[in-house]
Amino acid sequence: MSDAKKNLLLFFDRPSEPCFMQKGDDKAVFEIPDHYYPEKYKTLSSTISNRFGDDAGRTIPVRNIALPNLAQPMELPYNDQFSLFVPKHRAMAGKLIDIFMGMRDLEDLQSVCSYCQLRINPYMFNYCLSVAILHRPDTKGLNIPTFAETFPDKFMDPKVFRKAREVSNVVTSGVRMPVTIPVNYTANNSEPEQRVAYFREDIGINLHHWHWHLVYPFDSADRSIVNKDRRGELFYYMHQQIIARYNMERMCNGLSRVARYQNFREPIEEGYFPKLDSQVASRAWPPRFAGTTIRDLDRPVDQIRADVSQLETWRDRFVQAVETLSVTLANGRQMPLDEERGIDILGNMMESSIISPNRPYYGDLHNMGHVFISYSHDPDHRHLEQFGVMGDSATAMRDPVFYRWHSYIDDLFQLYKYKLNPYGDDKLDFPGVRVSSVAIEGAAGRNTLGTFWELSTVELGRGLDFTPRGSVLARFTHLQHQDFTYVIEVNNTSGQSVMGTVRIFMAPVQDENGALLSFDEQRRGMIELDKFTAGLRPGNNTIRHRSVDSSVTIPYERTFRDQSVRPGDPGAEESAEFDFCGCGWPHHMLVAKGTQQGYPVVLFAMVSNWAEDRIEQDLVGSCNDAASYCGIRDRKYPDRRSMGFPFDRPSAAQSLSDFLRPNMAVQNCSIRFTDTTIPRQQRR
Ligand code: CUO
C-alpha cells in the first residue's frame, strides 16, 4: 500500500493534537509548509518542527498546494459539538466532503487534510475524512479506526478517562492495568428505564448506529455518495428493526413496549442524564430533565429558527402523501407512491437528504425532531449550552427518547404499509419446497437460547490525547449469548435442484401483560435474525446454519477491532475480512436478554424462491456479511423483496399459524438468562 494512503490514517490518531506532533506507533510527523501553521503557532513554526521532528520516527513531507476555499467548514468553532442533524452543520460537512472528494490525488488529499486538521472542528473533520475514505476510489480498502477508538468520550463514563490518566504510568509486566467501566452508571433502580440501559448504552449498538449514518450520509454535492440503492427504505427498515428489538428487550425486563412521541406539545415523560464528557468541547453533555417539553428554537449561533408547528406541518404533509399515495413535486406534478418505490421515496422524504423529493414542502421531519429534542434544555441558547445526546448519531441511542421518537417515525411508515395489499400465495409460497421444521441447537439445550453477561476489554489508546503514548485498556460488561445453530428440514419435491433464500425471524409471543399478541402486533415485532441462500437437492435436505454467520451482525472482533492485529495490507487477500465494514448490528446483541425463567419467543423460518429474490451482481471484494441492516457498499441491496419480507405488510391472517404456507415453519423457543459475568477471554 502506498505511504500516502496509509498516512491518512494518522489523522485519526490523537485527533485533537496538531498533526505536526508525533502520530502513530512509528512517531510520524507531518512536515507541513510554513503557511499551513495557524496564526498562533506561526512564530514558533521552526521551533515546533525542530521539537517534534528531532526524535520523530519518520517525517512525511506535505505537498504545498493551492488550498481550496475552506471558509464554510471553518465556521464551526473548533471546540463545539458537531451534529449531522443540524442543517447548518450538515451543509458545512457536505462542503468539506466535496473538498476531500475533489482532491486529484492522495498527496493533495493529505496536504489539505494537514491544513484542515489544525483548524477544523475535530468531530467534523473526522466525519468528513471518513466519508471521503469510504467513497474515493483510491482509498478503497483503507481501514478506518472505529469511532470508539478515536473518540472514546462519546461512548464511556468520563471517570474512565481520569482513571486512565492515573494508570497510564502504572505498567504491570509490560501491559497497563485495564480501567473498568462500571455497569449501570447513569441512573439507579428507581428509574424503571434503567432496566434496559445495557441495551441503550451498549458501545457496540451505538457504534453500529454511528456507522450506519456514516455509510448513508445525507448531504454532498456528489449525488452518488448519497443516492445509494434503496437508501430510504433501508433507513426505514434498520430503524424499524431497532424498535422491534428494543420492544422485545423491554418486555424481557417487565417494561411495556415503548410509547410513541407523537404529541409535540406534551412533555417527554422521562429524563436522561448522559454522564458523558466531550473531550473536544471540555464540557459535560447536557441532560434533559423529566417532563421537558420541546419549544420553538431560536439559536442564531446554529442558524436555527424553527417553530414546533413546523414539525406538525411536515408531519401532516407526510401523512397526506401517504393517504393519497402520491408526492407533490416542486414543479407541482404528482409522483405516485407505488409498491416498487413507495417506501424508498418515503424513507428519503422522512430522513430528508439531497435526494428527497420537494424538500421545501416536505421539510426535514426526522432530523429536526432530533434537533428539537436535543435543544429542549436551551432552545434559545440563553444558557450557552450545546445539544444533548439526541443530536449526535454516535450517542442518540443512549437516550430513552430516541426510541419514542423512532417508534413514532415507524408508525408513520406503517401508515403506508397498511395501504398495501397483503401478499398472496404467489409471493409467499415456493411450490415444490416444503419446510417441515425449524429448530435451534446449542449449549443451552434444544430450542433454548442462553444469555449471560460478558466482560470484555477494548483498546482506547489512540483516542486519548492526554495520556502518554501506548495502550489504554478499558473493561466493560455487555450482554452475550451462547452460540447456536439453526436446523431446518426441507423437502424438495420439485424433482430438480433449486436454490432457496432462507429467512429467519424471531418474535415475542405475549404482550407486556402476558396476553397473547395479535398477529398484527407479532408481525410488527418480528426481528430478523438471518437470511442466506441454500441449494436444495431433490428430496430431503437438512440445512444447518450457525448463528455466528448471521447476515444481520458483524463479529465482535469487528465492532471492537484492534487495528494493530490486522493481518496484511488493506485490500490484500489475507486482510479481506478485516477490511473496512464496520456497519452491522453487534453480534453480542443478536439475541434479547430473555429472563431467568425463560422468555417465550417464536422462531420462524421460510424458504423463498431464490430465482425471484436474487440480484445479479459481483460481490467479490465487497463487505457483505451484515447486509440485512447495512446493505453492501457500492452495490445493490442483495434481495429483491421488500425489506422485512414477508412481515413488512399487513395480512388477513388471524394468527401466525394461519399465515404459514408449506414453505414456512415455526418453533416455540425460550431465551434463558443466567445472571453471571464471564470474562470473554475465558470463553474462547
Ligand atoms: Cu438513526 Cu434518528 O436516525 O437516528
Side-chain angles (χ1 to χ4, degrees):
M1 184 177 36
S2 79
D3 270 357
K5 190 164 156 181
K6 211 162 28 182
N7 290 342
L8 287 174
L9 295 182
L10 296 172
F11 291 110
F12 294 95
D13 189 52
R14 301 166 84 91
S16 45
E17 249 176 39
C19 66
F20 51 71
M21 292 174 69
Q22 295 171 2
K23 297 277 174 192
D25 295 337
D26 57 353
K27 298 187 185 170
V29 168
F30 288 99
E31 260 180 8
I32 55 175
D34 277 349
H35 66 280
Y36 280 25
Y37 284 94
E39 226 26 76
K40 59 180 170 184
Y41 299 120
K42 244 182 198 148
T43 49
L44 300 168
S45 66
S46 62
T47 337
I48 286 173
S49 57
N50 288 340
R51 183 163 152 222
F52 298 108
D54 275 359
D55 68 331
R58 94 192 143 93
T59 52
I60 305 165
V62 172
R63 188 190 276 170
N64 190 354
I65 59 168
L67 291 160
N69 182 353
L70 290 156
Q72 193 188 358
M74 275 168 47
E75 274 172 37
L76 181 66
Y78 187 88
N79 290 322
D80 269 17
Q81 293 283 38
F82 162 70
S83 169
L84 281 172
F85 297 121
V86 175
K88 181 187 167 196
H89 295 192
R90 239 186 281 164
M92 292 189 292
K95 176 79 187 154
L96 190 58
I97 291 169
D98 293 338
I99 289 171
F100 289 165
M101 289 300 293
M103 290 289 129
R104 60 191 171 132
D105 59 26
L106 291 170
E107 293 278 335
D108 279 14
L109 178 62
Q110 173 182 292
S111 175
V112 79
C113 281
S114 69
Y115 184 86
C116 290
Q117 198 268 349
L118 296 167
R119 295 170 171 78
I120 286 183
N121 179 282
Y123 294 129
M124 185 166 77
F125 172 77
N126 268 267
Y127 170 75
C128 297
L129 181 57
S130 302
V131 173
I133 286 178
L134 278 171
H135 293 93
R136 281 179 68 102
D138 54 2
T139 46
K140 272 246 161 71
L142 200 58
N143 197 9
I144 57 173
T146 84
F147 203 51
E149 285 180 277
T150 315
F151 294 111
D153 53 315
K154 292 213 181 192
F155 300 90
M156 285 158 218
D157 178 357
K159 285 199 207 99
V160 171
F161 309 121
R162 188 173 45 77
K163 284 197 204 134
R165 233 176 255 144
E166 285 165 24
V167 301
S168 60
N169 292 313
V170 182
V171 178
T172 34
S173 60
V175 186
R176 286 187 177 137
M177 302 265 295
V179 180
T180 300
I181 301 174
V183 188
N184 276 355
Y185 61 88
T186 47
N188 71 16
N189 293 339
S190 318
E191 172 54 63
E193 294 296 324
Q194 193 59 16
R195 291 183 223 159
V196 282
Y198 67 89
F199 181 96
R200 286 186 281 103
E201 291 166 2
D202 184 82
I203 299 172
I205 281 183
N206 282 283
L207 277 172
H208 160 72
H209 187 243
W210 170 78
H211 230 116
W212 193 95
H213 284 280
L214 178 71
V215 183
Y216 294 96
F218 27 65
D219 248 300
S220 166
D222 180 352
R223 279 178 76 87
S224 68
I225 291 187
V226 178
N227 198 5
K228 300 213 168 98
D229 183 48
R230 294 170 75 182
R231 166 196 201 284
E233 184 178 8
L234 201 50
F235 169 76
Y236 137 76
Y237 183 58
M238 196 282 286
H239 290 86
Q240 184 271 334
Q241 285 286 292
I242 286 178
I243 297 302
R245 286 175 171 277
Y246 185 63
N247 278 336
M248 191 194 280
E249 212 73 57
R250 292 177 68 84
M251 290 197 282
C252 290
N253 288 282
L255 295 168
S256 299
R257 283 166 285 175
V258 61
R260 298 165 300 169
Y261 179 55
Q262 57 171 341
N263 184 343
F264 310 147
R265 308 289 171 169
E266 271 185 4
I268 299 166
E269 201 176 303
E270 65 278 309
Y272 184 67
F273 291 70
K275 299 181 184 54
L276 290 178
D277 283 352
S278 162
Q279 285 194 54
V280 170
S282 307
R283 280 271 177 93
W285 284 79
R288 188 188 63 261
F289 290 87
T292 302
T293 306
I294 60 169
R295 283 172 290 165
D296 297 344
L297 297 178
D298 183 7
R299 297 180 52 104
V301 275
D302 305 304
Q303 285 175 13
I304 294 183
R305 244 192 122 145
D307 291 353
V308 175
S309 60
Q310 220 164 52
L311 287 181
E312 292 158 338
T313 305
W314 293 335
R315 187 253 330 264
D316 294 345
R317 288 174 182 169
F318 184 93
V319 171
Q320 183 200 28
V322 169
E323 290 298 332
T324 57
L325 290 176
S326 166
V327 173
T328 305
L329 299 176
N331 61 13
R333 295 234 309 270
Q334 297 290 313
M335 173 170 61
L337 293 171
D338 56 30
E339 290 200 8
E340 181 80 4
R341 293 264 299 125
I343 189 68
D344 192 45
I345 294 166
L346 289 170
N348 283 326
M349 232 159 90
M350 174 62 83
E351 195 196 5
S352 187
S353 70
I354 53 160
I355 60 168
S356 307
N358 203 353
R359 234 172 160 184
Y361 183 73
Y362 290 108
D364 200 5
L365 178 58
H366 159 264
N367 297 336
M368 285 305 285
H370 276 268
V371 171
F372 271 97
I373 294 168
S374 69
Y375 285 130
S376 58
H377 57 284
D378 192 17
D380 59 7
H381 200 229
R382 75 175 64 186
H383 298 293
L384 308 174
E385 283 290 315
Q386 301 192 13
F387 54 79
V389 291
M390 264 294 268
D392 186 329
S393 60
T395 53
M397 285 185 71
R398 308 176 83 84
D399 187 334
V401 77
F402 173 92
Y403 304 88
R404 287 182 180 270
W405 179 231
H406 270 280
S407 184
Y408 182 57
I409 299 284
D410 190 50
D411 250 41
L412 294 174
F413 285 127
Q414 297 297 335
L415 286 181
Y416 168 73
K417 289 286 185 177
Y418 280 110
K419 294 234 150 216
L420 303 177
N421 293 324
Y423 290 116
D425 278 341
D426 58 322
K427 294 282 190 312
L428 294 175
D429 201 0
F430 185 2
V433 171
R434 300 290 165 257
V435 177
S436 52
S437 68
V438 56
I440 277 176
E441 285 175 5
R446 196 168 167 84
N447 298 324
T448 302
L449 295 148
T451 59
F452 55 94
W453 299 121
E454 184 172 77
L455 186 64
S456 289
T457 309
V458 279
E459 167 61 64
L460 301 180
R462 188 192 302 268
L464 302 180
D465 295 355
F466 53 77
T467 59
R469 225 161 239 300
S471 154
V472 174
L473 300 172
R475 205 166 259 180
F476 66 104
T477 305
H478 57 86
L479 187 63
Q480 185 57 284
H481 58 273
Q482 279 165 333
D483 293 346
F484 59 93
T485 302
Y486 305 101
V487 184
I488 305 159
E489 300 291 345
V490 188
N491 188 7
N492 172 6
T493 61
S494 69
Q496 52 186 324
S497 289
V498 292
M499 294 284 278
T501 307
V502 182
R503 300 165 188 272
I504 301 179
F505 290 83
M506 175 185 279
V509 176
Q510 301 169 348
D511 69 10
E512 38 280 271
N513 302 313
L516 287 183
L517 286 169
S518 70
F519 178 56
D520 198 53
E521 289 175 296
Q522 195 169 43
R523 167 186 83 74
R524 287 185 59 178
M526 281 284 176
I527 291 168
E528 182 174 340
L529 294 182
D530 214 333
K531 179 161 67 184
F532 56 92
T533 307
L536 300 167
R537 293 181 311 274
N540 287 327
N541 295 261
T542 302
I543 300 172
R544 300 182 68 85
H545 191 83
R546 300 184 311 159
S547 61
V548 289
D549 296 327
S550 168
S551 65
V552 171
T553 61
I554 54 171
Y556 174 92
E557 289 72 19
R558 199 169 322 138
T559 298
F560 299 112
R561 70 196 141 179
D562 176 355
Q563 301 297 305
S564 61
V565 300
R566 174 177 210 290
D569 275 353
E573 194 62 40
E574 69 270 31
S575 63
E577 260 214 38
F578 218 86
D579 275 348
F580 171 73
C581 5
C583 187
W585 191 253
H587 189 76
H588 64 268
M589 298 304 280
L590 177 67
V591 177
K593 183 175 158 213
T595 59
Q596 281 170 307
Q597 308 79 1
Y599 179 75
V601 290
V602 63
L603 182 71
F604 168 93
M606 96 180 264
V607 179
S608 61
N609 187 351
W610 179 75
E612 288 166 17
D613 306 335
R614 75 168 151 179
I615 295 289
E616 302 225 31
Q617 60 184 342
D618 172 16
L619 293 179
V620 174
S622 68
C623 155
N624 59 7
D625 63 346
S628 288
Y629 295 174
C630 290
I632 306 178
R633 217 174 116 204
D634 304 333
R635 304 289 205 285
K636 291 195 155 157
Y637 192 76
D639 182 3
R640 199 179 291 274
R641 311 277 184 153
S642 294
M643 298 179 197
F645 173 82
F647 296 114
D648 67 301
R649 291 188 187 187
S651 157
Q654 292 299 305
S655 67
L656 183 55
S657 47
D658 255 14
F659 178 79
L660 294 186
R661 302 298 194 272
N663 57 325
M664 307 175 185
V666 290
Q667 172 65 53
N668 287 318
C669 297
S670 97
I671 309 176
R672 187 157 291 148
F673 171 67
T674 311
D675 194 5
T676 50
T677 305
I678 304 175
R680 183 168 175 82
Q681 294 73 8
Q682 279 177 24
R683 225 163 58 83
R684 298 283 123 177

